[in-house]
């Protein structure tokens, strides 16, 4: 079953975040992930707007998403954004 990594962040340091993005994208691709949302315009329908930047990545399963997140390659990329963002990230199972 498809799973989605949802990431929302307030970017505090654009230069460091750009370095992170350059390293994170190949890690996502190496684990079969596909970006569905990567920033972009937001039209709020109800409630408060999301944090500054929203990213949604599809993986073939919860396990695949977790393998990507735990991978050495992504963990290295993640160190590049330490202190550059305030973020939340989670994996959500898709509908079968």
């Amino acid at each position: 079953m498809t799973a989605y990594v949802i990431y929302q962040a307030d970017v505090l340091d654009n230069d460091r975040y750009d370095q992170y993005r350059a390293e994170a994208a190949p890690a996502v691709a190496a684990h079969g992930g596909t970006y569905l949302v990567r920033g972009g315009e937001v039209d709020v329908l109800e409630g408060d707007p999301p944090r500054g930047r929203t990213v949604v990545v599809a993986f073939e399963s919860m396990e695949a998403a977790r393998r990507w997140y735990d991978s050495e390659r992504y963990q290295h990329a993640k160190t590049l954004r330490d202190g550059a963002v305030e973020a939340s990230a989670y994996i959500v199972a898709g509908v079968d």
Side-chain angles (χ1 to χ4, degrees):
M1 175 184 312
T2 303
Y4 303 92
V5 172
I6 300 172
Y7 171 83
Q8 294 183 307
D10 291 321
V11 178
L12 308 173
D13 183 331
N14 285 317
D15 292 336
R16 288 184 52 209
Y17 190 74
D18 286 346
Q19 293 172 4
Y20 159 75
R21 287 178 50 203
E23 294 289 326
V28 166
H31 287 272
T34 303
Y35 286 97
L36 302 178
V37 174
R38 198 170 185 187
E41 184 179 341
V42 174
D43 183 6
V44 177
L45 301 175
E46 297 181 25
D48 296 325
R51 296 177 85 158
R53 182 170 180 82
T54 300
V55 177
V56 179
V57 182
F59 288 91
E60 70 179 30
S61 65
M62 297 279 284
E63 295 79 13
R66 177 52 85 167
R67 281 192 301 273
W68 157 75
Y69 185 81
D70 292 339
S71 72
E72 185 175 323
R73 189 171 190 177
Y74 181 68
Q75 289 299 308
H76 168 72
K78 199 162 89 57
T79 65
L80 298 173
R81 69 173 169 86
D82 287 348
V85 298
E86 292 179 358
S88 296
Y90 41 91
I91 305 169
V92 178
V95 176
D96 196 14

